[in-house]
Amino acid sequence: MLGNIKIQNVNKSFDDVKVLNDFSLDIVPGTFVSLIGPSGCGKSTLLRIIGGLEKSSSGSVFLDGEKILKAGSDRGFAFQGSNLFPWLSVKENVSFGLKARKIYKQKKQDVTDIINLVGLRGFENSYPHQISGGMQQRASLARALVGHPKVLLLDEPLGALDAFTRMNLQDEILRIKNENDMTMIMVTHDVDEAIYMSDKVVVMSARPSRVEAVIDINLPHPRIRVQDTFTLYRNKILEVLDLGGKIQEAEYNI
């Protein structure tokens, strides 16, 4: 499995609002990359362009040398909310994409394996309202993973969770990454989360956004959040974010 992402001179505008400005970035296979930057700078928009859910105004994004033109099963997407279908069980939610692609029969065992992988064994027949927020997010991750994507795109998947559940799921996501050797790209507003999970942190400037800095996190796993080196990385990222400026006009939901 590869998973090389090449973002080449991407521009994106919504009406008269320019969001991404000549944005370029290379992500090597198997890397965990976090995108962090001021609110409204286009982090989620960039993730959606990589996922094929949004088209750039100009420029290109490539996955393993192939230009991304639309959404595909080679990219899994987990959103901030679990976005589970409330009328479907956990197993039915995880199976949904496979059934839509008419490959469920061949991949039936994968559904069981992925549900076990994310720690939901025994809850296969539960409905979203019957399980906790953390478990719902696990089900959302399972749905994104069941197609064995090359790249997993995470749009603040833990943002709505309490602190303890969030930290536990951070470890779960890292475990899943290591066991599946995939590329992961995550949008987050949490600097500590970015440092704890990432191989690289990409700091984006205020809108129209460009790459302000790419910071390699050279710390072994598991990482200790209170160690001096962790604090040094936090201070460095916060310093770059301040240099990147703040949005002065009203924010847009992009």
Side-chain angles (χ1 to χ4, degrees), residues 28-169:
V28 300
T31 305
F32 194 117
V33 173
S34 285
L35 306 175
I36 196 163
S39 180
C41 73
K43 300 181 293 296
S44 293
T45 297
L46 179 62
L47 207 68
R48 290 175 65 84
I49 291 172
I50 297 169
L53 304 177
E54 191 83 54
K55 291 188 180 296
S56 61
S57 302
S58 63
S60 303
V61 181
F62 299 88
L63 171 56
D64 294 333
E66 296 290 327
K67 189 173 181 179
I68 293 173
L69 300 174
K70 59 183 180 179
S73 60
D74 50 8
R75 282 149 289 144
F77 214 123
F79 300 89
Q80 180 171 355
S82 65
N83 285 316
L84 299 175
F85 298 116
W87 59 89
L88 297 181
S89 68
V90 166
K91 185 175 181 179
E92 290 167 335
N93 266 286
V94 174
S95 307
F96 185 83
L98 300 179
K99 290 179 178 178
R101 293 161 55 200
K102 296 181 169 47
I103 58 172
Y104 173 68
K105 286 185 179 179
Q106 305 95 288
K107 301 288 186 180
K108 193 173 181 179
Q109 184 59 44
D110 287 354
V111 174
T112 299
D113 292 344
I114 290 294
I115 287 173
N116 293 343
L117 180 68
V118 301
L120 287 177
R121 178 183 291 173
F123 294 91
E124 297 91 337
N125 298 316
S126 299
Y127 289 86
H129 73 276
Q130 296 175 318
I131 58 178
S132 69
M135 294 170 78
Q136 290 176 29
Q137 205 60 51
R138 288 172 187 267
S140 179
L141 285 170
R143 186 173 60 184
L145 289 165
V146 74
H148 298 286
K150 296 180 179 180
V151 180
L152 184 62
L153 304 170
L154 303 159
D155 192 359
E156 292 197 79
L158 312 180
L161 303 176
D162 66 86
F164 292 113
T165 303
R166 184 169 186 155
M167 286 189 285
N168 286 334
L169 275 180

